[in-house]
């Protein structure tokens, strides 16, 4: 059985307004660049027509498949579900709004080809690449959260929260089997796990356009993320990130 080189995972919750456009953009990029890739949309218990739109799209696009979460579990759960069920040698996730154009994935893939285990998109390494910037209050809260995260968790990255990350298959299987945070705060946890398990993580500057329809609340979700940071530190003290993980055989996954 021939497995794809790349798996592109898109977590989706109530994305009926933009999922078709996102899939058109991703498929256009895949086909124009000749990537041997699959696109995995993970429906996180959407209450709109997201799943129906993806099914209809997949009927005419063999690269696309749909995974269903058992209800609304959160972005962290969705990304884990998608990446652990993917078939690619390189697996990545991107947000449904495609704030980072999917063409930017080539920079992540290049970093992996050059020896990285994990490549993470960064909005802050080259700020001039932000074509539509966040409002100042969002920039302020985002930078404050990143500073707190770096200080408490020892993460040396300019941008931990960018929803544009790629992994070798081996790195993804290890990191996401150990992930415990199911909602917005999962990004620092997977980076913390990656460093703890000795994976090489490289930041890659990406173009970025802020989408005003983003659902994250820097006040409510920011407080929850701080709680998640405490959970990560507690997990580390208990040795939960030292556990042995299993190899997931692609032949055992449902196509």
């Amino acid at each position: 059985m021939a497995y794809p080189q790349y798996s592109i995972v898109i977590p989706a919750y109530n994305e009926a307004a933009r999922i078709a456009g996102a899939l058109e953009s991703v498929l256009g990029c895949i086909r124009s660049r000749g990537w041997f890739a699959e696109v995995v949309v993970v429906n996180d218990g959407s209450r709109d027509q997201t799943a129906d739109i993806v099914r209809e799209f997949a009927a005419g696009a063999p690269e696309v498949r749909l995974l269903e979460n058992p209800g609304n579990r959160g972005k962290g759960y969705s990304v884990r579900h998608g990446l652990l069920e993917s078939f690619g040698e390189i697996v990545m996730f991107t947000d449904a709004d495609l704030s980072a154009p999917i063409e930017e994935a080539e920079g992540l893939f290049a970093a992996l080809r050059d020896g990285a285990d994990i490549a993470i998109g960064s909005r802050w390494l080259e700020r001039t690449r932000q074509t539509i910037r966040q409002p100042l209050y969002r920039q302020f809260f985002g930078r404050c959260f990143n500073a707190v995260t770096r200080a408490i968790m020892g993460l040396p990255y300019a941008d931990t929260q960018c929803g544009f990350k790629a992994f070798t298959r081996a790195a993804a299987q290890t990191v996401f089997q150990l992930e415990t945070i199911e909602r917005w705060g999962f990004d620092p946890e997977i980076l913390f796990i990656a460093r703890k398990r000795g994976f090489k993580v490289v930041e890659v500057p990406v173009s970025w356009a802020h989408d005003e329809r983003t659902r994250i609340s820097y006040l409510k979700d920011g407080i929850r993320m701080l709680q998640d940071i405490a959970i990560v530190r507690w997990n580390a003290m208990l040795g939960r990130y030292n556990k042995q993980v299993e190899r997931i055989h692609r032949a055992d996954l449902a196509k």
Side-chain angles (χ1 to χ4, degrees):
M1 179 179 179
Y3 294 109
Q5 178 70 13
Y6 305 109
S7 292
I8 300 171
V9 172
I10 305 175
Y13 175 67
N14 290 345
E15 292 289 357
R18 54 189 177 186
I19 193 63
L23 290 173
E24 288 175 0
S25 295
V26 172
L27 281 178
C29 178
I30 287 173
R31 293 171 178 176
S32 67
R33 299 195 175 205
W35 294 347
F36 183 24
E38 65 170 349
V39 181
V40 182
V41 180
V42 183
N43 179 39
D44 190 26
S46 297
R47 292 172 291 181
D48 62 8
Q49 299 303 308
T50 296
D52 293 335
I53 293 170
V54 176
R55 289 191 192 96
E56 182 178 353
F57 202 101
E63 300 96 332
V64 177
R65 61 189 176 103
L66 175 70
L67 295 178
E68 294 275 10
N69 285 348
N72 177 241
R73 296 293 296 271
K75 184 180 178 182
Y77 183 96
S78 300
V79 170
R80 180 176 68 212
H81 186 188
L83 267 63
L84 292 181
E85 290 287 326
S86 294
F87 290 95
E89 288 295 333
I90 292 174
V91 297
M92 70 166 292
F93 68 89
T94 183
D95 294 334
D97 60 12
L98 295 183
S99 290
I102 193 60
E103 290 79 8
E104 294 288 281
E106 183 54 51
L108 304 185
F109 299 159
L112 298 182
R113 289 194 296 269
D114 289 341
D117 299 300
I118 300 170
I120 64 175
S122 176
R123 297 162 290 186
W124 300 106
L125 287 181
E126 296 180 8
R127 300 187 185 188
T128 56
R129 299 186 64 172
Q130 294 186 27
T131 55
I132 301 178
R133 295 199 171 192
Q134 295 176 315
L136 289 177
Y137 77 93
R138 284 188 175 271
Q139 293 185 46
F140 174 76
F141 281 113
R143 299 302 285 168
C144 286
F145 176 77
N146 191 63
V148 171
T149 300
R150 293 174 66 175
I152 296 177
M153 301 180 69
L155 299 177
Y157 312 114
D159 191 351
T160 59
Q161 296 303 116
C162 183
F164 201 68
K165 295 179 172 69
F167 309 75
T168 64
R169 184 170 185 80
Q173 287 188 8
T174 298
V175 168
F176 284 94
Q177 285 187 60
L178 296 172
E179 177 209 351
T180 65
I181 304 298
E182 295 190 346
R183 295 196 176 272
W184 294 107
F186 79 100
D187 287 280
E189 183 186 31
I190 61 175
L191 294 176
F192 182 88
I193 295 169
R195 282 174 57 81
K196 190 169 185 62
R197 299 298 291 237
F199 290 114
K200 181 180 179 181
V201 181
V202 173
E203 267 191 293
V204 178
V206 295
S207 298
W208 187 270
H210 173 65
D211 191 326
E212 283 294 342
R213 294 172 292 182
T214 182
R215 297 187 180 93
I216 191 169
S217 164
Y218 277 103
L219 182 57
K220 181 179 68 176
D221 293 313
I223 293 173
R224 184 176 299 164
M225 287 180 187
L226 292 176
Q227 294 172 338
D228 290 341
I229 290 174
I231 291 172
V232 172
R233 297 301 307 185
W234 181 248
N235 286 343
M237 289 177 58
L238 296 179
R240 289 174 177 165
Y241 300 134
N242 299 325
K243 296 187 300 183
Q244 186 174 358
V245 298
E246 299 179 0
R247 181 183 177 190
I248 298 175
H249 297 279
R250 286 177 287 198
D252 297 331
L253 299 176
K255 186 66 174 174

